[in-house]
Amino acid sequence: MARLVVLGGGVSGHTAATFAAKWLGSAHEVVVVTPNAKWNWIPSNIWVGVGQMSKEEVTFDLAPVYAKAGITYKQAKALSLNPEGNATSNKPFVTIEFTAPGKEGTTENIEYDYIINATGPKLNFGATPGLGEGSNLGEHTVSVCTADHAVHASHELEKCIQKMKKGERQKFLIGTGHGMCTCQGAAFEYIFNIEHELNRAGVRDMADIKWISNESFLGDFGVGGLHMKTMGYAVSSKIFAESLFTERGVDWIIGAHVNKVESGKAHYELLDGTMGEEEFNFSMLIPPFAGVGLKAFDKTGEDITTTVFAPNGFMKVDANYAAGAYENWKASDWPKTYQNPTYSNMFACGIAFAPPHPISKPMSSPNGTPINPTPPRTGMPSGIIGKAVAHSICDKILKGENAPLHEASMANMGAACVASAGKGLFNGTAAAMTIYPVVPDFDKYPGTGRDTDYTFGEIGLAGHWIKHILHHLFIWKAKLKAGWTLIPE
Amino acid sequence: MAGKKEEANIKAYSQNFTTMTPGPFAKKMRTCVIFQIIRFIIINLKMLVVVSKSH
């Protein structure tokens, strides 16, 4: 009997664990270690953050789902890996610390045959003074990164709406809270959902809404932008993004590294080296992501964290980490199997794997401050990678150690993305997009780096319907209800 | 004021002066239920093609 341990129960980890449990059956054990008691469909946190959904609508309890799937569930966080075992045993193990009520702080070593690191990100609010401490949100801004954050954000938004109704003008500042952030898409959705809600509340004319982000151009989204075929033209996402911002009366600051936040004010540095500050009454700034801080030790107890993990804390996999300058980047730099190069029974998926380099071109200010989006690894790619990794490990367990690994390179994979611009059955809109491949391949597709036959986007009510249906569809799938395997990642 | 209101947000020689902006017909079609039902079908088919190429 083999044991697979999955660290993390987000989109990628949950996908990997549930498919592995299905494919392995009761002859083998799947263990999920996640500090959270609830699963959260994060894309819908945007709607929680504007009061259009409740926390309960975007979360559900993990324990009954894992019990149904025959998965051993440990509500705990992983602390360290011992991929060679220790002085008394050659069996690899992971040390975890429980977070479940009544067991907080107690630790356990779990031996494993295979392990998947799907721990997701540490929300690194502490990287920007005033944005927060460590992984905790500060007092000056709000967040939609977790369902609880989004509930708090919706309460703060409501306070602003009430002030506007009393004639008090309010300034909104939405975007990224550091020069090395990813997830611009979430901030994009939030700013337009706020604008939509202010219209609904009849106070839009009392609001000044501004975007601030580390993108070098609007519509970069951390993927270097994309060209979509429209009316016979291949049109840059920059044009579409600028058009939407203009139409909705939203100003923008781009190429910005927010370097300090204080009450009602954000300080930033731009790509041209100039410094600025922006006042706000309400601000949602996405924090940068880092690895969760897992340590690794060899058999003698020596710290091998730098062997297993990249400096940003994400796990090294089969990527080319020596690509160097942007001009040398190739689509083939991106990992295919997500297997750790040192320990073949360790894999990483979702945000937890260390990308070889950004997708957007790296840039820095004349002061040497790096200001560029880091690569997104969420949503559809995250689920596909989780499933591929689970497939590889199940094949190794069921067919033998030499079974070929499954591949899911982001340079050979497309993604469908629906970005809400306002919720409403008949007046909602969303930008529905596909991108193929996620990582541009300029050798295969000279010019744009992508196949414009499969890269498109449009905004409208249909996109909103799709996003709403996907909300229910993916929660259905995550709860392992009838036909869940038929719903693609 | 004789100008079109959907163009009013553009400010000469500001950062949004060079972009395109939708007219009333384009904006109307975004929430036109019949047109959007057709787009819903087309977008879903396009997405399914990309999803099938990615698995």
Side-chain angles (χ1 to χ4, degrees), chain A residues 33-354:
Chain A
V33 177
T34 178
N36 304 313
K38 289 180 181 291
W39 194 83
N40 177 203
W41 178 239
I42 292 171
S44 293
N45 285 357
I46 298 300
W47 289 336
V48 177
V50 292
Q52 286 295 316
M53 270 194 176
S54 67
K55 178 185 172 185
E56 289 68 32
E57 287 175 280
V58 300
T59 58
F60 64 81
D61 288 330
L62 278 170
V65 174
Y66 287 152
K68 181 168 74 173
I71 293 170
T72 307
Y73 167 48
K74 309 262 186 188
Q75 191 186 333
K77 62 181 180 183
L79 299 177
S80 61
L81 297 168
N82 282 63
E84 300 170 4
N86 58 17
T88 58
S89 168
N90 291 328
K91 191 80 175 172
F93 66 90
V94 55
T95 302
I96 65 170
E97 180 182 299
F98 284 90
T99 58
K103 292 183 78 176
E104 298 104 322
T106 57
T107 60
E108 180 183 341
N109 292 340
I110 307 175
E111 294 184 343
Y112 62 81
D113 296 287
Y114 294 92
I115 194 162
I116 298 174
N117 177 15
T119 43
K122 168 190 172 187
L123 303 173
N124 197 13
F125 290 103
T128 303
L131 195 60
E133 291 291 332
S135 57
N136 296 318
L137 173 65
E139 60 184 318
H140 306 309
T141 62
V142 301
S143 157
V144 289
C145 293
T146 70
D148 285 327
H149 286 172
V151 170
H152 167 248
S154 92
H155 291 156
E156 294 301 310
L157 177 62
E158 183 55 32
K159 288 179 191 172
C160 288
I161 291 173
Q162 292 308 318
K163 286 179 184 174
M164 286 185 280
K165 284 183 174 174
K166 291 175 183 168
E168 193 177 331
R169 198 165 187 83
Q170 298 284 289
K171 286 187 171 183
F172 293 81
L173 183 67
I174 312 294
T176 55
H178 190 274
M180 300 291 282
C181 284
T182 183
C183 266
Q184 289 78 14
F188 173 93
E189 289 188 272
Y190 196 52
I191 197 168
F192 288 112
N193 270 270
I194 283 180
E195 201 271 342
H196 184 78
E197 291 307 316
L198 297 185
N199 267 313
R200 194 199 304 264
V203 293
R204 176 64 182 91
D205 59 332
M206 295 297 292
D208 299 309
I209 309 177
K210 190 168 276 189
W211 170 262
I212 186 166
S213 95
N214 56 349
E215 301 160 288
S216 64
F217 60 90
L218 267 188
D220 179 291
F221 294 128
V223 293
L226 57 148
H227 282 74
M228 295 172 271
K229 197 176 272 183
T230 304
M231 303 288 283
Y233 291 79
V235 184
S236 167
S237 51
K238 175 179 187 286
I239 301 292
F240 287 109
E242 289 185 349
S243 174
L244 185 61
F245 276 69
T246 300
E247 176 195 335
R248 306 279 284 263
V250 177
D251 289 332
W252 64 85
I253 302 168
I254 49 172
H257 163 61
V258 174
N259 51 26
K260 185 182 174 187
V261 178
E262 49 192 17
S263 179
K265 192 182 288 184
H267 301 260
Y268 59 85
E269 175 183 352
L270 295 179
L271 271 169
D272 65 7
T274 57
M275 305 292 178
E277 56 186 45
E278 191 68 32
E279 293 185 348
F280 61 80
N281 300 102
F282 178 101
S283 180
M284 196 291 289
L285 299 174
I286 299 273
F289 292 169
V292 295
L294 271 174
K295 294 281 191 185
F297 301 98
D298 72 6
K299 194 171 176 56
T300 64
E302 191 176 333
D303 192 324
I304 54 168
T305 304
T306 55
T307 304
V308 176
F309 296 95
N312 54 14
F314 297 120
M315 184 180 272
K316 292 178 185 173
V317 292
D318 60 323
N320 174 20
Y321 295 108
Y326 173 78
E327 290 69 25
N328 302 327
W329 293 0
K330 297 280 184 194
S332 56
D333 297 337
W334 285 76
K336 297 179 180 65
T337 66
Y338 304 88
Q339 186 179 41
N340 181 265
T342 310
Y343 299 101
S344 63
N345 60 347
M346 287 173 39
F347 294 78
C349 59
I351 294 174
F353 83 82

Side-chain angles (χ1 to χ4, degrees), chain A residues 247 252 414 458 461-462 489, chain B residues 15 20 30 36 39 54-55:
Chain A
E247 176 195 335
W252 64 85
E458 68 178 70
L461 182 58
E489 288 66 45
Chain B
Q15 61 183 357
M20 61 182 188
R30 283 187 197 160
Q36 289 297 319
R39 296 311 302 166
S54 304
H55 279 71

Side-chain angles (χ1 to χ4, degrees), chain A residues 239-240 242-243 246-247 249 252 380 384 413-418 426 432-434 436 454 456 458-462 465-466 469 488-489, chain B residues 6 9-11 15-16 18-22 27 30-33 35-37 39-40 42-44 46-51 53-55:
Chain A
I239 301 292
F240 287 109
E242 289 185 349
S243 174
T246 300
E247 176 195 335
W252 64 85
M380 182 174 154
I384 292 175
M413 175 199 305
C417 172
V418 188
F426 295 111
M433 293 176 278
T434 64
Y436 187 89
Y454 302 106
F456 79 97
E458 68 178 70
I459 187 166
L461 182 58
W465 291 338
I466 292 170
I469 290 169
E489 288 66 45
Chain B
E6 59 273 6
N9 286 340
I10 294 178
K11 294 179 180 63
Q15 61 183 357
N16 71 14
T18 54
T19 193
M20 61 182 188
T21 190
K27 289 175 77 172
R30 283 187 197 160
T31 50
C32 168
V33 172
F35 180 67
Q36 289 297 319
I37 288 171
R39 296 311 302 166
F40 177 83
I42 293 170
I43 294 169
N44 271 295
K46 284 182 164 184
M47 284 184 166
L48 282 174
V49 171
V50 172
V51 168
K53 283 173 70 72
S54 304
H55 279 71

